Amino acid sequence: MLSKRLIACLDVRDGHLAKSVKFVNTRNIGDPVAKAREYYLDGLDELVFYDITASSEGRRIMLDVVEAVARQVFIPLSVGGGVASVAHATDLRLAGAEKINVNSAAVRRPALIAECADAIGNQNIVLSMDIRRAPATADIPSGYEIVVNGGRQPTGLDARQWALEGERLGAGELVVNSIDADGTRAGYELRLTRMLSEAVRVPVVASGGAGEPAHLHEVLTEGKADAALVASMVHYGHYTVSGLKRHLHARGVKMRMSW
Amino acid sequence: MVVIVDYDAGNLMSVHRACRQVGLAAEIASEPERIRAAERIIFPGVGAAGSAMRSLCASGAARALVDAFHRGTPMLGICLGLQIALDRSEEADTTTLGMVPGEVRRFRLADPALKVPHMGWNAVRVVRSHPVLAGIEEGDEFYFVHAYYPRPSAGADVLAETSYEGPFCSALGRGNFVATQFHPEKSGRKGLDLLERFGAWDGTC
């Protein structure tokens, strides 16, 4: 059987590693290439780079970072942040990214998902969704709304409907990122993750809120996620990749334990 | 020199980078004469069997690959490169190279919780020893991404199995051709070790 995946997310701003709380107050916390290598050697299953740079100069630095990481890290590498065209996705792929995450640009123009799926294959196009709790209404029946632009702007899109639409358009995987939980270290949004995982047939990655190993365990079991994404838990040295995997493995979650 | 066969089927740079990491000199090429002259060949690929076959036939690479196989050149197929070596694929009902007897089928799983493609890390159990797979231990996992799986006709060609609802063939070999359904270039140290062993393999087993 497939193992559950532990994914580390590195937010990169102008070539440096950054970490935010609820998507604001970002600060630099180190060299992304060194971090990527450290996690890889410690048994990480997959790596995600999120480009939170706005400038085109920053975008070029990002390509260099991806290339430098791809030269020494031999696990799947995923990149997102500001991808709005097949050309940008292709540049990132040539630099060494396996999977491309699309987010706000796909909300503005859903055809982007289908275009990328055609160009680079369904399995390589990931729909990343930033989601916030909202009062359940006729438009937002699930009680969860898609937000864009770093979590600031509501869209009126229902999270469950958008997940199904993304799958239909050809996304091979979904990242479910709870803005409410992001950076709180109080645990993933279990109800949301489970709802979306049960709604689609593609793998679901849980993101936002991990603070202790038990949170990963609950989202991979109760939350029905295929993979758990962590950031600050490992970036600040409170936990190690191998330590988290051992914790999960010891509690019966199937993990890759030799590398 | 290893020739990595280019036929517009996915990102070959990751295979190239992994070769470089284990000290294997490699070049990416699609010309039939370079494939025929190669010391050893890696035949990678992600994508659809139909368009891959069209591209291979149009460039003459298909013929060159089969020639190299019959001449004894050590060859490693990866993912779609494995599937295309069989006789035919259910994917768009495609006739493929026929270097290894067998066919390729789509996963049809009874359990609705299991997702297709089969994507992620899964255990590879060696069922017949082979120099390129030597060193894979019980429980070692490799990275997979695929919706179709190989069914070689001859049981003796099956080198390793992996379980996804039921067992399927995840590595096969016949003579100087060896192939993995998983991606050694994305499977960490264990995958790099496999590439390194391929680099040292003389094509016999």
Side-chain angles (χ1 to χ4, degrees):
Chain A
M1 290 315 300
L2 279 175
S3 289
K4 299 284 187 178
R5 285 170 283 153
L6 179 65
I7 303 177
C9 180
L10 302 176
D11 286 340
V12 179
R13 183 178 55 192
D14 298 326
H16 298 282
L17 201 53
K19 181 60 199 151
S20 64
V21 175
K22 289 194 186 259
F23 277 34
V24 294
N25 303 324
T26 58
R27 60 187 178 110
N28 287 347
I29 56 170
D31 169 14
V33 181
K35 277 285 184 201
R37 171 122 186 115
E38 175 194 325
Y39 298 158
Y40 162 63
L41 292 175
D42 199 29
L44 188 70
D45 299 313
E46 193 166 325
L47 192 61
V48 182
F49 278 112
Y50 228 77
D51 181 4
I52 56 173
T53 312
S55 70
S56 59
E57 191 199 350
R59 289 277 140 79
R60 250 190 313 279
I61 297 171
M62 186 67 186
L63 288 175
D64 293 343
V65 168
V66 171
E67 203 161 333
V69 170
R71 270 201 295 271
Q72 39 186 316
V73 169
F74 298 94
I75 53 175
L77 178 58
S78 177
V79 180
V83 177
S85 67
V86 168
H88 189 190
T90 305
D91 284 348
L92 288 164
R93 291 261 300 160
L94 286 174
E98 215 67 34
K99 301 182 188 177
I100 303 299
N101 293 38
V102 293
N103 190 330
S104 302
V107 173
R108 284 192 291 272
R109 199 174 65 81
L112 176 65
I113 299 170
E115 290 165 15
C116 287
D118 270 354
I120 65 175
N122 293 58
Q123 70 278 7
N124 295 321
I125 180 78
V126 179
L127 177 61
S128 187
M129 302 184 296
D130 293 336
I131 302 169
R132 209 160 59 184
R133 279 184 221 114
T137 61
D139 288 339
I140 318 276
S142 71
Y144 290 97
E145 182 178 9
I146 299 293
V147 292
V148 293
N149 294 339
R152 288 182 295 270
Q153 191 183 325
T155 62
L157 268 179
D158 180 77
R160 189 172 180 280
Q161 285 166 4
W162 179 230
L164 289 167
E165 177 68 358
E167 180 184 33
R168 192 188 66 77
L169 289 167
E173 185 161 70
L174 302 182
V175 176
V176 175
N177 189 38
S178 164
I179 300 297
D180 303 299
D182 182 62
T184 63
R185 307 190 190 187
Y188 296 94
E189 251 273 21
L190 292 186
R191 191 172 148 260
L192 168 68
T193 309
R194 182 183 180 123
M195 174 183 75
L196 295 183
S197 196
E198 285 175 343
V200 298
R201 291 294 308 264
V202 295
V204 165
V205 179
S207 164
E212 51 188 85
H215 296 153
L216 279 74
H217 182 265
E218 54 189 32
V219 87
L220 292 171
T221 52
E222 261 181 83
K224 297 201 169 180
D226 297 281
L229 185 145
V230 293
S232 48
M233 274 184 88
V234 291
H235 296 339
Y236 295 115
H238 301 308
Y239 298 95
T240 62
V241 167
S242 56
L244 289 174
K245 291 182 73 164
R246 276 197 302 275
H247 175 96
L248 293 165
H249 174 72
R251 282 153 189 81
V253 180
K254 187 170 180 299
M255 304 296 293
R256 176 177 67 112
M257 293 311 295
S258 60
W259 51 84
Chain B
M1 182 69 83
V2 179
V3 167
I4 300 170
V5 181
D6 180 10
Y7 56 106
D8 301 327
N11 190 353
L12 308 181
M13 285 310 294
S14 56
V15 175
H16 193 261
R17 286 187 193 97
C19 284
R20 189 165 49 197
Q21 180 71 12
V22 297
L24 268 181
E27 58 175 6
I28 293 173
S30 58
E31 301 85 345
E33 55 277 18
R34 284 166 81 187
I35 293 169
R36 285 196 180 85
E39 205 176 300
R40 58 185 73 241
I41 293 169
I42 296 180
F43 183 36
V46 174
S51 58
M53 272 311 286
R54 278 193 296 279
S55 170
L56 283 168
C57 291
S59 70
R63 191 67 250 164
L65 276 165
V66 174
D67 289 349
F69 171 61
H70 289 304
R71 266 212 313 277
T73 309
M75 293 175 73
L76 171 65
I78 298 174
C79 193
L80 185 62
L82 174 156
Q83 299 186 355
I84 279 183
L86 298 172
D87 293 317
R88 74 183 296 104
S89 173
E90 203 178 66
E91 189 174 16
D93 195 19
T94 307
T95 300
T96 45
L97 296 176
M99 293 173 352
V100 179
E103 58 176 10
V104 170
R105 289 210 187 159
R106 191 175 168 87
F107 279 117
R108 288 184 188 80
L109 304 172
D111 182 350
L114 292 179
K115 312 201 165 170
V116 176
H118 170 237
M119 180 171 76
W121 298 81
N122 204 338
V124 169
R125 191 166 45 87
V126 176
V127 296
R128 185 159 76 76
S129 64
H130 188 283
V132 175
L133 303 187
I136 296 181
E137 290 165 16
E138 190 68 39
D140 281 356
E141 296 184 26
F142 292 81
Y143 189 73
F144 290 84
V145 185
H146 61 122
Y148 293 78
Y149 66 98
R151 301 213 330 166
S153 312
D157 291 339
V158 178
L159 298 181
E161 287 182 341
T162 292
S163 182
Y164 198 49
E165 198 162 77
F168 70 91
C169 166
S170 53
L172 57 80
R174 170 170 282 230
N176 51 300
F177 180 74
V178 62
T180 62
Q181 182 57 63
F182 52 88
H183 290 269
E185 76 281 12
K186 287 286 159 192
S187 294
R189 185 67 242 172
K190 309 265 178 196
L192 294 176
D193 287 347
L194 189 152
L195 288 173
E196 196 170 4
R197 286 191 300 269
F198 172 69
W201 181 46
D202 63 4
T204 63
C205 47

